[in-house]
Tab-separated table of all heavy atoms in Angstrom:
chain	number	residue	atom	x	y	z
A	38	PRO	N	-19.049	-25.544	76.176
A	38	PRO	CA	-20.104	-24.835	76.904
A	38	PRO	C	-19.503	-23.937	77.995
A	38	PRO	O	-18.507	-24.306	78.614
A	38	PRO	CB	-20.927	-25.963	77.540
A	38	PRO	CG	-20.520	-27.214	76.842
A	38	PRO	CD	-19.182	-27.000	76.263
A	39	ARG	N	-20.034	-22.769	78.193
A	39	ARG	CA	-19.660	-21.807	79.243
A	39	ARG	C	-18.216	-21.302	79.067
A	39	ARG	O	-17.562	-20.877	80.006
A	39	ARG	CB	-19.836	-22.420	80.641
A	39	ARG	CG	-21.271	-22.876	80.932
A	39	ARG	CD	-21.415	-23.540	82.291
A	39	ARG	NE	-21.192	-22.607	83.387
A	39	ARG	CZ	-20.220	-22.747	84.285
A	39	ARG	NH1	-19.369	-23.758	84.193
A	39	ARG	NH2	-20.086	-21.874	85.255
A	40	MET	N	-17.737	-21.339	77.838
A	40	MET	CA	-16.337	-20.995	77.589
A	40	MET	C	-16.117	-19.482	77.676
A	40	MET	O	-16.900	-18.697	77.165
A	40	MET	CB	-15.971	-21.493	76.189
A	40	MET	CG	-14.527	-21.397	75.837
A	40	MET	SD	-14.213	-22.256	74.271
A	40	MET	CE	-14.728	-21.004	73.109
A	41	LEU	N	-15.026	-19.092	78.333
A	41	LEU	CA	-14.624	-17.686	78.422
A	41	LEU	C	-13.475	-17.431	77.441
A	41	LEU	O	-12.875	-18.373	76.925
A	41	LEU	CB	-14.164	-17.375	79.844
A	41	LEU	CG	-15.240	-17.521	80.931
A	41	LEU	CD1	-14.605	-17.499	82.324
A	41	LEU	CD2	-16.296	-16.419	80.791
A	42	HIS	N	-13.174	-16.143	77.240
A	42	HIS	CA	-12.132	-15.782	76.268
A	42	HIS	C	-11.063	-14.927	76.935
A	42	HIS	O	-11.383	-14.054	77.744
A	42	HIS	CB	-12.752	-15.031	75.092
A	42	HIS	CG	-13.722	-15.881	74.346
A	42	HIS	ND1	-13.389	-16.576	73.215
A	42	HIS	CD2	-15.019	-16.185	74.609
A	42	HIS	CE1	-14.432	-17.270	72.807
A	42	HIS	NE2	-15.451	-17.042	73.633
A	43	MET	N	-9.838	-15.158	76.532
A	43	MET	CA	-8.733	-14.453	77.175
A	43	MET	C	-7.979	-13.591	76.156
A	43	MET	O	-7.760	-14.008	75.024
A	43	MET	CB	-7.771	-15.482	77.781
A	43	MET	CG	-6.644	-14.856	78.562
A	43	MET	SD	-5.581	-16.135	79.278
A	43	MET	CE	-4.258	-16.155	78.093
A	44	ALA	N	-7.582	-12.393	76.589
A	44	ALA	CA	-6.728	-11.540	75.754
A	44	ALA	C	-5.533	-11.097	76.599
A	44	ALA	O	-5.633	-10.986	77.823
A	44	ALA	CB	-7.512	-10.325	75.268
A	64	THR	N	-11.518	-4.330	85.199
A	64	THR	CA	-12.313	-5.305	85.951
A	64	THR	C	-13.792	-4.917	85.956
A	64	THR	O	-14.674	-5.781	85.955
A	64	THR	CB	-11.779	-5.398	87.394
A	64	THR	OG1	-10.370	-5.567	87.330
A	64	THR	CG2	-12.370	-6.568	88.160
A	68	GLY	N	-19.004	-7.710	81.416
A	68	GLY	CA	-18.568	-8.858	80.605
A	68	GLY	C	-17.188	-9.358	80.987
A	68	GLY	O	-16.810	-10.469	80.636
A	69	VAL	N	-16.431	-8.519	81.735
A	69	VAL	CA	-15.112	-8.987	82.179
A	69	VAL	C	-15.312	-9.850	83.419
A	69	VAL	O	-16.009	-9.461	84.358
A	69	VAL	CB	-14.165	-7.800	82.478
A	69	VAL	CG1	-12.906	-8.270	83.205
A	69	VAL	CG2	-13.804	-7.089	81.183
A	70	VAL	N	-14.697	-11.011	83.430
A	70	VAL	CA	-14.865	-11.939	84.545
A	70	VAL	C	-13.682	-11.842	85.505
A	70	VAL	O	-13.837	-11.934	86.716
A	70	VAL	CB	-15.041	-13.380	84.015
A	70	VAL	CG1	-15.162	-14.385	85.155
A	70	VAL	CG2	-16.264	-13.466	83.108
A	71	ALA	N	-12.486	-11.643	84.947
A	71	ALA	CA	-11.306	-11.531	85.812
A	71	ALA	C	-10.173	-10.865	85.045
A	71	ALA	O	-10.130	-10.920	83.810
A	71	ALA	CB	-10.851	-12.914	86.279
A	72	VAL	N	-9.279	-10.225	85.779
A	72	VAL	CA	-8.037	-9.722	85.188
A	72	VAL	C	-6.902	-10.357	85.984
A	72	VAL	O	-6.856	-10.258	87.213
A	72	VAL	CB	-7.962	-8.179	85.252
A	72	VAL	CG1	-6.663	-7.695	84.608
A	72	VAL	CG2	-9.165	-7.545	84.560
A	73	VAL	N	-6.035	-11.034	85.274
A	73	VAL	CA	-4.947	-11.755	85.944
A	73	VAL	C	-3.660	-10.970	85.758
A	73	VAL	O	-3.323	-10.564	84.641
A	73	VAL	CB	-4.785	-13.173	85.343
A	73	VAL	CG1	-3.697	-13.953	86.082
A	73	VAL	CG2	-6.099	-13.933	85.382
A	77	LEU	N	-0.929	-11.746	91.050
A	77	LEU	CA	-1.859	-12.821	91.407
A	77	LEU	C	-1.197	-14.189	91.185
A	77	LEU	O	-1.288	-15.096	92.029
A	77	LEU	CB	-3.140	-12.712	90.561
A	77	LEU	CG	-4.184	-13.808	90.773
A	77	LEU	CD1	-4.835	-13.685	92.142
A	77	LEU	CD2	-5.253	-13.749	89.687
A	81	HIS	N	0.438	-17.894	93.665
A	81	HIS	CA	0.358	-19.347	93.414
A	81	HIS	C	1.694	-19.899	92.914
A	81	HIS	O	1.747	-20.978	92.343
A	81	HIS	CB	-0.745	-19.643	92.399
A	81	HIS	CG	-2.099	-19.171	92.828
A	81	HIS	ND1	-2.960	-19.967	93.542
A	81	HIS	CD2	-2.711	-17.971	92.684
A	81	HIS	CE1	-4.068	-19.286	93.796
A	81	HIS	NE2	-3.937	-18.060	93.283
A	111	CYS	N	-3.658	-10.477	81.787
A	111	CYS	CA	-4.620	-11.140	80.903
A	111	CYS	C	-6.030	-10.815	81.367
A	111	CYS	O	-6.318	-10.866	82.565
A	111	CYS	CB	-4.437	-12.647	80.950
A	111	CYS	SG	-2.905	-13.184	80.215
A	112	VAL	N	-6.882	-10.505	80.407
A	112	VAL	CA	-8.286	-10.287	80.729
A	112	VAL	C	-9.072	-11.522	80.304
A	112	VAL	O	-8.895	-12.031	79.192
A	112	VAL	CB	-8.834	-9.051	79.983
A	112	VAL	CG1	-10.343	-8.922	80.212
A	112	VAL	CG2	-8.124	-7.789	80.437
A	113	ILE	N	-9.942	-11.970	81.209
A	113	ILE	CA	-10.819	-13.109	80.896
A	113	ILE	C	-12.235	-12.543	80.849
A	113	ILE	O	-12.691	-11.924	81.818
A	113	ILE	CB	-10.764	-14.199	81.989
A	113	ILE	CG1	-9.366	-14.360	82.594
A	113	ILE	CG2	-11.369	-15.505	81.504
A	113	ILE	CD1	-8.329	-14.973	81.723
A	114	ALA	N	-12.904	-12.745	79.720
A	114	ALA	CA	-14.222	-12.114	79.566
A	114	ALA	C	-15.184	-13.061	78.869
A	114	ALA	O	-14.791	-14.115	78.369
A	114	ALA	CB	-14.073	-10.827	78.767
A	115	GLU	N	-16.438	-12.616	78.822
A	115	GLU	CA	-17.493	-13.455	78.229
A	115	GLU	C	-17.288	-13.603	76.725
A	115	GLU	O	-17.694	-14.603	76.142
A	115	GLU	CB	-18.887	-12.877	78.515
A	115	GLU	CG	-19.283	-12.900	79.997
A	115	GLU	CD	-19.512	-14.317	80.557
A	115	GLU	OE1	-19.613	-15.260	79.756
A	115	GLU	OE2	-19.547	-14.459	81.799
A	206	ALA	N	-8.326	-24.145	77.630
A	206	ALA	CA	-8.024	-24.867	78.867
A	206	ALA	C	-9.330	-25.119	79.596
A	206	ALA	O	-10.154	-24.214	79.745
A	206	ALA	CB	-7.084	-24.036	79.730
A	207	ASP	N	-9.506	-26.351	80.037
A	207	ASP	CA	-10.778	-26.745	80.648
A	207	ASP	C	-10.496	-27.554	81.908
A	207	ASP	O	-10.170	-28.737	81.828
A	207	ASP	CB	-11.559	-27.572	79.610
A	207	ASP	CG	-12.921	-28.003	80.137
A	207	ASP	OD1	-13.382	-27.414	81.145
A	207	ASP	OD2	-13.503	-28.918	79.542
A	208	VAL	N	-10.614	-26.869	83.049
A	208	VAL	CA	-10.389	-27.577	84.318
A	208	VAL	C	-11.751	-27.881	84.922
A	208	VAL	O	-12.534	-26.964	85.188
A	208	VAL	CB	-9.543	-26.731	85.292
A	208	VAL	CG1	-9.250	-27.517	86.569
A	208	VAL	CG2	-8.236	-26.299	84.631
A	209	ASN	N	-12.024	-29.145	85.108
A	209	ASN	CA	-13.323	-29.541	85.652
A	209	ASN	C	-13.274	-29.446	87.178
A	209	ASN	O	-12.547	-30.209	87.823
A	209	ASN	CB	-13.637	-30.975	85.207
A	209	ASN	CG	-15.021	-31.415	85.634
A	209	ASN	OD1	-15.455	-31.119	86.754
A	209	ASN	ND2	-15.699	-32.122	84.744
A	210	PRO	N	-14.019	-28.492	87.770
A	210	PRO	CA	-13.901	-28.299	89.214
A	210	PRO	C	-14.390	-29.512	90.000
A	210	PRO	O	-13.963	-29.738	91.139
A	210	PRO	CB	-14.772	-27.077	89.506
A	210	PRO	CG	-15.538	-26.774	88.275
A	210	PRO	CD	-15.016	-27.610	87.152
A	211	ALA	N	-15.254	-30.330	89.414
A	211	ALA	CA	-15.795	-31.476	90.148
A	211	ALA	C	-14.799	-32.633	90.180
A	211	ALA	O	-14.611	-33.278	91.214
A	211	ALA	CB	-17.106	-31.934	89.503
A	265	VAL	N	-1.499	-19.117	81.609
A	265	VAL	CA	-2.497	-18.239	82.252
A	265	VAL	C	-3.905	-18.758	81.966
A	265	VAL	O	-4.758	-18.774	82.864
A	265	VAL	CB	-2.349	-16.773	81.792
A	265	VAL	CG1	-3.349	-15.893	82.532
A	265	VAL	CG2	-0.932	-16.268	82.038
A	266	ALA	N	-4.152	-19.207	80.740
A	266	ALA	CA	-5.501	-19.716	80.429
A	266	ALA	C	-5.828	-20.905	81.335
A	266	ALA	O	-6.956	-21.039	81.833
A	266	ALA	CB	-5.588	-20.121	78.961
A	267	THR	N	-4.825	-21.764	81.582
A	267	THR	CA	-5.067	-22.930	82.444
A	267	THR	C	-5.289	-22.491	83.888
A	267	THR	O	-6.230	-22.962	84.559
A	267	THR	CB	-3.870	-23.910	82.352
A	267	THR	OG1	-3.642	-24.191	80.977
A	267	THR	CG2	-4.137	-25.196	83.097
A	268	ALA	N	-4.449	-21.558	84.356
A	268	ALA	CA	-4.617	-21.070	85.734
A	268	ALA	C	-5.988	-20.407	85.879
A	268	ALA	O	-6.687	-20.596	86.893
A	268	ALA	CB	-3.499	-20.083	86.073
A	269	ALA	N	-6.397	-19.640	84.862
A	269	ALA	CA	-7.694	-18.943	84.930
A	269	ALA	C	-8.840	-19.943	84.953
A	269	ALA	O	-9.809	-19.787	85.711
A	269	ALA	CB	-7.826	-17.990	83.742
A	270	SER	N	-8.733	-20.990	84.149
A	270	SER	CA	-9.792	-22.001	84.131
A	270	SER	C	-9.883	-22.695	85.492
A	270	SER	O	-10.971	-22.974	85.994
A	270	SER	CB	-9.523	-23.015	83.019
A	270	SER	OG	-10.493	-24.017	83.040
A	271	LEU	N	-8.707	-22.917	86.093
A	271	LEU	CA	-8.656	-23.546	87.418
A	271	LEU	C	-9.334	-22.645	88.459
A	271	LEU	O	-10.139	-23.095	89.277
A	271	LEU	CB	-7.189	-23.774	87.785
A	271	LEU	CG	-6.851	-24.540	89.041
A	271	LEU	CD1	-7.200	-26.013	88.873
A	271	LEU	CD2	-5.350	-24.431	89.335
A	272	LEU	N	-9.044	-21.330	88.377
A	272	LEU	CA	-9.595	-20.409	89.372
A	272	LEU	C	-11.089	-20.160	89.160
A	272	LEU	O	-11.845	-20.003	90.106
A	272	LEU	CB	-8.861	-19.060	89.311
A	272	LEU	CG	-7.391	-19.084	89.762
A	272	LEU	CD1	-6.719	-17.738	89.499
A	272	LEU	CD2	-7.297	-19.439	91.241
A	273	LEU	N	-11.505	-20.127	87.868
A	273	LEU	CA	-12.879	-19.730	87.573
A	273	LEU	C	-13.829	-20.913	87.386
A	273	LEU	O	-15.045	-20.741	87.344
A	273	LEU	CB	-12.910	-18.851	86.309
A	273	LEU	CG	-12.077	-17.555	86.407
A	273	LEU	CD1	-11.949	-16.890	85.043
A	273	LEU	CD2	-12.700	-16.580	87.410
A	274	GLY	N	-13.250	-22.085	87.184
A	274	GLY	CA	-14.106	-23.274	87.001
A	274	GLY	C	-14.830	-23.283	85.665
A	274	GLY	O	-15.862	-23.942	85.515
A	275	ARG	N	-14.322	-22.523	84.694
A	275	ARG	CA	-14.943	-22.515	83.353
A	275	ARG	C	-13.839	-22.657	82.303
A	275	ARG	O	-12.699	-22.245	82.544
A	275	ARG	CB	-15.703	-21.190	83.132
A	275	ARG	CG	-16.953	-21.075	83.984
A	275	ARG	CD	-17.578	-19.696	83.878
A	275	ARG	NE	-18.107	-19.408	82.558
A	275	ARG	CZ	-18.743	-18.268	82.238
A	275	ARG	NH1	-18.915	-17.327	83.165
A	275	ARG	NH2	-19.196	-18.068	81.024
A	276	PRO	N	-14.155	-23.200	81.134
A	276	PRO	CA	-13.138	-23.294	80.086
A	276	PRO	C	-12.705	-21.899	79.624
A	276	PRO	O	-13.524	-20.976	79.583
A	276	PRO	CB	-13.854	-24.025	78.946
A	276	PRO	CG	-15.089	-24.603	79.527
A	276	PRO	CD	-15.447	-23.782	80.724
A	277	VAL	N	-11.426	-21.748	79.313
A	277	VAL	CA	-10.904	-20.455	78.867
A	277	VAL	C	-10.167	-20.657	77.547
A	277	VAL	O	-9.285	-21.507	77.441
A	277	VAL	CB	-9.943	-19.848	79.922
A	277	VAL	CG1	-9.307	-18.564	79.394
A	277	VAL	CG2	-10.686	-19.577	81.233
A	278	LYS	N	-10.558	-19.840	76.559
A	278	LYS	CA	-9.913	-19.940	75.241
A	278	LYS	C	-9.002	-18.748	75.019
A	278	LYS	O	-9.367	-17.607	75.303
A	278	LYS	CB	-10.985	-19.963	74.147
A	278	LYS	CG	-10.401	-20.079	72.729
A	278	LYS	CD	-11.510	-19.979	71.688
A	278	LYS	CE	-11.619	-21.265	70.899
A	278	LYS	NZ	-12.603	-21.199	69.816
Side-chain angles (χ1 to χ4, degrees):
R39 301 177 67 241
M40 188 171 81
L41 297 167
H42 297 264
M43 184 179 99
T64 311
V69 168
V70 178
V72 181
V73 183
L77 177 70
H81 301 270
C111 292
V112 174
I113 324 289
E115 294 292 347
D207 181 17
V208 183
N209 185 319
V265 183
T267 307
S270 177
L271 186 71
L272 292 173
L273 300 169
R275 290 173 67 178
V277 175
K278 180 185 243 184

